[in-house]
Amino acid sequence: EAKTIETKKALADSVMDEILKNTRFFTIKSWNQENVNIAKKEKVWSTSLDICVKLRKALATMRNVILFFSVNESHEFAGFARVSGCIDRAHRPVINWVGVRRDQLAPDMFQLDWISK
């Protein structure tokens, strides 16, 4: 029985290693809670051009891209989501983000699958 437990643990460790090896993690700091709430409801996220480029690169090279959300100066975790893809500019939904001008955002938007809200 001890060998079976060791085998199961080794298999679980191997699976976890494979998941982590193919995953890129990002911390997203929102200016306000309202935008995190919008992201949860609409299952999308918009960001600045420089972060957009990093997310697109991660999506192209990794199996999983995970975003951990927090609100500036809250010192609290606000949830995390897997990025399931980049939304084509022609199909991008109109989102009225709070306190953010459209020219501050990259033209791309990311589809989210929330894991923890």
Side-chain angles (χ1 to χ4, degrees):
E1 184 171 324
K3 186 161 179 94
T4 302
I5 292 171
E6 286 177 23
T7 302
K8 287 181 181 179
K9 183 179 179 333
L11 179 60
D13 288 348
S14 173
V15 168
M16 186 57 75
D17 286 347
E18 189 61 29
I19 290 170
L20 293 175
K21 188 169 36 175
N22 290 303
T23 302
R24 181 91 191 268
F25 300 92
F26 292 87
T27 300
I28 302 295
K29 299 285 273 184
S30 174
W31 288 109
N32 56 61
Q33 183 64 48
E34 291 88 348
N35 286 337
V36 175
N37 294 342
I38 291 169
K40 290 176 181 179
K41 181 180 179 227
E42 301 296 332
K43 299 180 181 175
V44 296
W45 187 249
S46 291
T47 189
S48 64
L49 185 57
D50 59 328
I51 301 300
C52 178
V53 169
K54 291 177 184 180
L55 292 177
R56 279 181 148 291
K57 182 177 179 185
L59 279 171
T61 59
M62 296 288 170
R63 183 175 299 155
N64 299 299
V65 176
I66 306 293
L67 307 182
F68 288 90
F69 286 83
S70 180
V71 176
N72 277 350
E73 300 184 21
S74 71
H75 306 289
E76 294 182 8
F77 169 70
F80 66 101
R82 180 178 177 271
V83 178
S84 57
C86 186
I87 300 172
D88 182 283
R89 293 173 191 182
H91 299 97
R92 178 182 169 155
V94 176
I95 304 290
N96 293 314
W97 300 105
V98 177
V100 181
R101 294 187 329 261
R102 290 185 194 262
D103 65 344
Q104 293 175 305
L105 299 173
D108 298 319
M109 190 177 281
F110 297 92
Q111 186 72 43
L112 301 180
D113 295 326
W114 284 89
I115 299 166
S116 172
K117 293 184 181 181

